[in-house]
Amino acid sequence: MSSDGSTNWTFLTNHAQVLLCIANDPDIRLRDVADTVGITERAAQRIVVDLAEAGFLERERRGRRNRYVINEKTEMRHPAQEGYEIGDLLDLLRQVPSSRNRSKQLQH
């Protein structure tokens, strides 16, 4: 625990956060992924390599930029999620208005 009584853990790993950033924007720059996740650009690059080597995504070169394609049928790696495809998880986590955000929008 930190001195203010809170902990510094999160529900999703950096690998999941990076994959989610890419799911939300396949043309995203790694610099922007790093900023969003709160990691260095080099760490974001390493995670993308990990994800590509594990078959979760592919990189397509488009001029000077990359476009990422997620292999949503790839099964998650942990035994507790055996048989579940990464696309199912991403569908749950993609940026869609939450019920709280929808109620705020309706009030305006």
Side-chain angles (χ1 to χ4, degrees):
M1 269 197 192
S2 65
S3 61
D4 67 356
S6 66
T7 58
N8 293 322
W9 61 272
T10 60
F11 282 102
L12 299 176
T13 66
N14 287 345
H15 281 67
Q17 294 285 359
V18 167
L19 194 60
L20 187 55
C21 284
I22 292 169
N24 288 327
D25 181 3
D27 296 310
I28 195 167
R29 297 177 309 167
L30 287 181
R31 176 182 310 149
D32 297 326
V33 170
D35 287 343
T36 300
V37 176
I39 58 178
T40 65
E41 190 172 345
R42 182 69 186 128
Q45 290 170 341
R46 283 192 307 269
I47 289 171
V48 166
V49 168
D50 288 347
L51 293 170
E53 288 176 352
F56 287 98
L57 62 81
E58 297 173 19
R59 288 177 283 194
E60 296 176 349
R61 194 73 176 161
R62 297 226 171 141
R64 295 178 15 181
R65 303 270 309 262
N66 285 323
R67 177 173 180 77
Y68 301 95
V69 177
I70 296 174
N71 299 322
E72 296 195 8
K73 298 290 185 190
T74 304
E75 289 188 10
M76 289 186 257
R77 295 171 48 147
H78 194 281
Q81 289 83 44
E82 184 175 351
Y84 290 96
E85 297 172 350
I86 195 64
D88 296 333
L89 178 64
L90 292 173
D91 287 344
L92 291 172
L93 298 174
R94 286 182 213 255
Q95 291 180 346
V96 293
S98 68
S99 58
R100 182 170 33 167
N101 289 341
R102 279 193 295 267
S103 65
K104 285 181 184 178
Q105 290 171 349
L106 294 174
Q107 293 173 359
H108 293 280

